[in-house]
Amino acid sequence: QGYYNFIQFGSIQSRSFDLNIDSQFSDIKLEISYNYNDLYDLEEYEYINSVSRHSLNSKISKNFQTLDFDVNLFYRYLGEKEIGTRTPDFEYIKLSIPGYGLWRLSISKVDLWDIIDISTGVDNIFNYINKQDLSNINPGRTFFINFQIRKK
């Protein structure tokens, strides 16, 4: 169990860019989003490593027209980062969190009886858990069903 430090920064320089790609191939849709984020503390003259520099989100969707439903595969990657924590004796240490990816699979149907949207699936398919990284709040593999009822 670690005790986390919350540090306030005075002046920060942020350099980042995003790249988004969407493409449609017949009944398959591909979406990819990449983000690079570089933070620099202008007062301490050091990089801030508690935010992943690299992240990637992607989604592949296939529409099955005969049954009118979609199958979606999502992938999210977060690059390595460093976090500060304290031991039970309150000694400050830095932990290196390796990069990781999370997968989610879902099946969805919209306009069921013209008023219901339904989706079901599994999040975190490969059951990734890292208890040292509090920014990853995923408890592990999660199964879900979602109903949305719309008014006519």
Side-chain angles (χ1 to χ4, degrees):
Q1 165 90 31
Y3 300 89
Y4 291 84
N5 259 6
F6 296 96
I7 302 170
Q8 290 185 327
F9 296 97
S11 298
I12 293 178
Q13 179 183 41
S14 175
R15 293 179 294 215
S16 63
F17 73 88
D18 294 308
L19 175 66
N20 298 299
I21 300 171
D22 293 348
S23 192
Q24 182 83 33
F25 307 97
S26 177
D27 57 354
I28 296 176
K29 185 174 183 180
L30 175 64
E31 300 172 39
I32 299 173
S33 175
Y34 170 79
N35 174 265
Y36 175 81
N37 194 12
D38 191 11
L39 300 174
Y40 189 76
D41 185 339
L42 296 172
E43 294 175 1
E44 297 293 325
Y45 303 106
E46 64 184 11
Y47 284 98
I48 300 170
N49 296 320
S50 59
V51 175
S52 298
R53 285 189 179 168
H54 305 279
S55 65
L56 175 86
N57 290 298
S58 63
K59 175 184 174 185
I60 299 174
S61 300
K62 167 122 172 84
N63 179 267
F64 292 89
Q65 294 175 358
T66 55
L67 298 172
D68 195 27
F69 72 91
D70 295 323
V71 174
N72 307 294
L73 180 64
F74 302 87
Y75 176 71
R76 181 174 188 209
Y77 172 78
L78 291 170
E80 72 175 311
K81 63 182 174 181
E82 217 173 64
I83 59 173
T85 185
R86 294 197 181 272
T87 66
D89 298 329
F90 289 97
E91 174 190 351
Y92 181 78
I93 57 173
K94 286 190 174 187
L95 294 175
S96 181
I97 305 296
Y100 62 90
L102 298 174
W103 291 88
R104 179 174 41 150
L105 179 67
S106 70
I107 299 171
S108 58
K109 174 126 176 96
V110 296
D111 293 332
L112 183 64
W113 300 303
D114 293 326
I115 61 166
I116 297 175
D117 297 343
I118 184 171
S119 65
T120 185
V122 59
D123 193 12
N124 195 357
I125 295 172
F126 300 107
N127 202 27
Y128 174 81
I129 298 171
N130 184 338
K131 293 181 180 178
Q132 293 177 322
D133 184 8
L134 289 181
S135 67
N136 176 19
I137 59 172
N138 195 320
R141 186 178 302 119
T142 308
F143 297 91
F144 64 90
I145 298 175
N146 181 30
F147 292 94
Q148 181 177 356
I149 300 174
R150 292 179 273 113
K151 291 183 180 181
K152 278 190 166 187

